[in-house]
Amino acid sequence: MEATDWEISSGGASDDDDNFEQDIKEEEECLRSSGNMRKLQFRKHASTARWNDEMGMAEVLENKGSLWTTSGIVRCGKIYCSIEETLFLIEVGALHLLDHDNSSLSLKDVYKKVAEGKSECIWEQFEVYRHLKSLGYIVGKHKVPWSVKGARNGGDISSRSSIENKGSTDFESEDEKSICELLNAVQLNELTPIFDVYLPHSKFRKSSPGDPNFMVCLTRGYPPPKTDIEVIERKSGGIPMKYCHVEHGRVCFFSFDKVKLPVLP
């Protein structure tokens, strides 16, 4: 088994969707303006969300712009953002975040939440997410469906069989529990996929996202053992697996190929 370097390419979007093109341009502009030092950016039309400590996610109260085509998961008509998405959107000036008492949360407050590690996210994981998003990729949490419809079409959601015949309040409560269960199932100390990644394209739909172009595993410390790699790639269903290592803010990706050495005479 031989490790091969893998270089990310931002790919391209279709020219027939002005909203998608504007979405990418806005993100690129904000990221360029931020330079090496991350700081809060400002847009004329930012969305608003409220942080939910119990879920470890933000509930979107007012969504503006086309960023939401590829951001957030939909449950019971509401959009929820993981902490990675929330922090990224705040950094690019697309989201204004409120606390439970409607007071504003600063960028520093959200950095602190990531550092505390209470939302099933570590700092290296956020850096991977930010790196991929800044290149234009569509990034979702592994095994967390974008929508309930997407879960019924083949996603993995723990409570989808109990969705029918429930009142609105019970429905929302069950959805919140299922989201928490899915996020808690991700073991960051184990070699496991953390993100499903799609090439940027204007036809992406949360209700039917299709198979990701590749999945990302975060490695910490030493490279993963060969046996672990073989197990996880057997479970990937043929979807390419990329391994990521973060050190001193530098995000590196690599993959493995099987090779056979020629038999020497």
Side-chain angles (χ1 to χ4, degrees), residues 17-241:
D17 194 318
D18 293 336
N19 288 335
F20 185 83
E21 291 289 348
Q22 183 62 28
D23 181 0
I24 297 300
K25 287 178 182 177
E26 287 178 358
E27 284 192 23
E28 289 177 346
E29 181 180 349
C30 285
L31 288 165
R32 281 197 302 268
S33 64
S34 65
N36 294 326
M37 293 297 292
R38 297 287 170 179
K39 59 182 180 179
L40 182 63
Q41 302 297 312
F42 294 95
R43 296 190 185 191
K44 292 181 180 178
H45 305 289
S47 301
T48 305
R50 180 183 291 114
W51 182 254
N52 185 320
D53 265 325
E54 185 177 350
M55 294 181 68
M57 302 184 78
E59 178 188 337
V60 179
L61 305 177
E62 184 181 16
N63 59 304
K64 297 180 180 179
S66 57
L67 286 167
W68 299 105
T69 305
T70 57
S71 299
I73 60 174
V74 180
R75 297 292 187 275
C76 196
K78 295 182 179 181
I79 302 175
Y80 295 93
C81 291
S82 67
I83 194 166
E84 298 99 326
E85 291 175 311
T86 302
L87 181 50
F88 177 79
L89 291 173
I90 293 174
E91 282 192 341
V92 300
L95 186 67
H96 176 59
L97 188 63
L98 303 175
D99 207 347
H100 62 88
D101 59 357
N102 287 333
S103 60
S104 295
L105 287 172
S106 67
L107 191 58
K108 185 178 179 180
D109 292 330
V110 187
Y111 283 146
K112 188 180 296 184
K113 290 182 182 295
V114 175
E116 291 172 349
K118 295 180 180 179
S119 303
E120 302 304 324
C121 175
I122 57 176
W123 182 251
E124 291 88 345
Q125 184 174 337
F126 168 68
E127 289 191 295
V128 174
Y129 179 87
R130 179 170 62 188
H131 184 77
L132 290 167
K133 286 290 290 183
S134 67
L135 290 172
Y137 286 97
I138 299 168
V139 186
K141 284 273 198 178
H142 180 65
K143 282 196 173 182
V144 179
W146 295 87
S147 69
V148 173
K149 184 177 180 181
R152 288 172 175 164
N153 290 337
D156 180 13
I157 183 168
S158 59
S159 63
R160 69 172 181 240
S161 61
S162 63
I163 288 175
E164 304 296 337
N165 302 320
K166 285 187 176 287
S168 177
T169 302
D170 291 338
F171 185 89
E172 292 181 22
S173 177
E174 286 296 322
D175 268 337
E176 289 186 4
K177 289 179 182 177
S178 70
I179 294 171
C180 293
E181 289 171 1
L182 289 168
L183 293 176
N184 290 335
V186 178
Q187 300 297 322
L188 297 178
N189 292 325
E190 298 178 3
L191 184 66
T192 183
I194 55 172
F195 295 126
D196 294 336
V197 185
Y198 302 79
L199 296 177
H201 61 94
S202 60
K203 302 302 181 183
F204 180 83
R205 296 293 180 269
K206 292 179 181 179
S207 58
S208 55
D211 290 334
N213 293 91
F214 59 91
M215 296 186 291
V216 172
C217 286
L218 179 64
T219 64
R220 307 183 71 186
Y222 295 101
K226 176 184 174 182
T227 52
D228 290 357
I229 294 171
E230 290 174 343
V231 169
I232 199 169
E233 295 203 351
R234 278 199 300 269
K235 294 180 179 179
S236 68
I239 298 172
M241 192 72 63

